[in-house]
């Protein structure tokens, strides 16, 4: 069975500071990894995903995540956060390449960016 | 593109009543939709996979008679919580599967918060 652990339920940071949101997973098969973001009162949006190839994946708004198979991790990072990055972030794994089948989610990390 | 809506966004009901939640794909057709449930401070848990024109596939431990799913059209799936009780209070989120760039993925609705008194 697959599982996802997000170690931090809440992460408060100041604007322009770097941030890392941690995600570890367990699975007995090959997995595909995702980060979703949920802004207040909105649905989940795909932020970035690792399917294959380069272990470092990037989003259009400056986030990046690195797949580390030996450590079974997929931590999300951003070198300088903005107020607008305040949201809840969910790490997820799937056995299907696009995440089109069952997604197993972590509990989420609430990122709060303060001025 | 790929917008998924849910209605209502919040609902409060009395114990014993039934509540219907709608999930719509607004600008695409979805043969498959998923229903998730999220408890406070917990993960989203997949409840069932809804397939247009056929019976839903429920995850282990989810009561199919309690959570009725109907996917009658390519743009609408409904989840009915029957004889709701306080322990059914939760955040229910749907998603729809769509192919984008040759890859199938899920797009999520904004969720429905259910409170059963």
């Amino acid at each position: 069975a697959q599982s996802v652990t997000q170690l931090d339920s809440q992460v408060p940071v100041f604007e322009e500071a770097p941030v890392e949101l941690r995600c570890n997973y367990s699975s007995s098969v090959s997995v595909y990894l995702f980060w979703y973001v949920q802004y207040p009162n909105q649905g989940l949006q795909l932020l970035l995903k690792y399917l294959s190839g380069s272990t470092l994946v990037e989003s259009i708004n400056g986030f990046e995540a690195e797949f580390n198979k030996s450590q079974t991790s997929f931590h999300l990072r951003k070198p300088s956060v903005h107020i607008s990055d305040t949201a809840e972030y969910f790490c997820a794994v799937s056995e299907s390449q696009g995440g089109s089948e069952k997604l197993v989610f972590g509990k989420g990390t609430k990122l709060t960016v303060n001025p | 593109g790929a917008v998924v809506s849910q209605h209502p966004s919040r609902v409060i009901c009395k114990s014993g009543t039934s509540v219907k939640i709608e999930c719509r794909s607004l600008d695409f057709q979805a043969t498959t939709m998923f229903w998730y449930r999220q408890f406070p401070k917990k993960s989203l848990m997949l409840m069932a996979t809804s397939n247009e024109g056929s019976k839903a596939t429920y995850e282990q431990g989810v009561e199919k008679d309690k959570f009725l799913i109907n996917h009658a059209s390519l743009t609408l799936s409904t989840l009915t919580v029957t004889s709701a009780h306080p322990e059914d209070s939760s955040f229910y989120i749907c998603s729809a599967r769509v192919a984008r760039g040759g890859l199938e993925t899920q797009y999520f609705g904004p969720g429905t918060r259910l409170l059963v008194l």
Side-chain angles (χ1 to χ4, degrees):
Chain A
Q2 299 172 322
S3 68
V4 176
T5 302
Q6 290 182 248
L7 295 168
D8 306 301
S9 60
Q10 297 191 55
V11 174
V13 294
F14 287 109
E15 194 173 17
E16 298 184 3
V19 71
E20 178 180 79
L21 307 184
R22 296 178 291 172
C23 172
N24 289 88
Y25 69 93
S26 66
S27 176
S28 58
V29 300
S30 296
V31 295
Y32 304 97
L33 296 155
F34 306 82
W35 274 98
Y36 284 85
V37 58
Q38 185 175 32
Y39 298 103
N41 301 315
Q42 295 186 29
L44 291 169
Q45 300 173 32
L46 180 63
L47 186 60
L48 47 76
K49 59 191 175 190
Y50 169 76
L51 303 181
S52 64
S54 173
T55 57
L56 184 66
V57 290
E58 299 177 350
S59 72
I60 58 173
N61 57 353
F63 282 94
E64 64 180 30
E66 185 160 19
F67 170 57
N68 187 319
K69 190 173 182 179
S70 63
Q71 296 185 7
T72 61
S73 68
F74 191 54
H75 301 330
L76 181 69
R77 301 185 184 94
K78 188 169 185 179
S80 176
V81 293
H82 300 137
I83 299 279
S84 59
D85 293 324
T86 294
E88 186 132 24
Y89 293 80
F90 294 91
C91 182
V93 301
S94 174
E95 292 182 12
S96 64
Q97 194 172 35
S100 60
E101 300 302 332
K102 181 176 180 178
L103 280 163
V104 177
F105 286 89
K107 293 182 181 180
T109 298
K110 188 171 184 179
L111 174 64
T112 303
V113 182
N114 298 300
Chain B
V3 176
V4 177
S5 71
Q6 282 185 241
H7 177 80
S9 57
R10 300 173 67 93
V11 58
I12 301 173
C13 69
K14 292 182 179 179
S15 185
T17 60
S18 294
V19 175
K20 181 185 284 188
I21 302 170
E22 294 183 346
C23 177
R24 292 183 185 273
S25 56
L26 297 185
D27 53 356
F28 65 98
Q29 294 182 330
T31 55
T32 301
M33 291 183 175
F34 301 90
W35 286 97
Y36 293 84
R37 181 175 180 178
Q38 185 181 26
F39 292 99
K41 301 186 190 301
K42 299 233 182 236
S43 307
L44 281 80
M45 301 291 294
L46 180 65
M47 299 173 66
T49 302
S50 168
N51 297 295
E52 188 267 337
S54 65
K55 291 183 179 180
T57 304
Y58 290 81
E59 293 297 303
Q60 192 173 10
V62 178
E63 299 175 61
K64 58 182 68 176
D65 294 330
K66 172 77 172 175
F67 299 99
L68 299 179
I69 292 173
N70 188 328
H71 195 156
S73 79
L74 288 171
T75 59
L76 174 64
S77 175
T78 60
L79 168 68
T80 301
V81 183
T82 61
S83 186
H85 292 285
E87 58 265 28
D88 299 323
S89 298
S90 193
F91 194 53
Y92 294 88
I93 303 174
C94 74
S95 71
R97 185 164 70 189
V98 64
R100 281 288 187 270
L103 196 65
E104 288 194 322
T105 191
Q106 293 184 44
Y107 286 88
F108 287 82
T112 296
R113 191 165 299 282
L114 170 63
L115 177 61
V116 185
L117 301 176

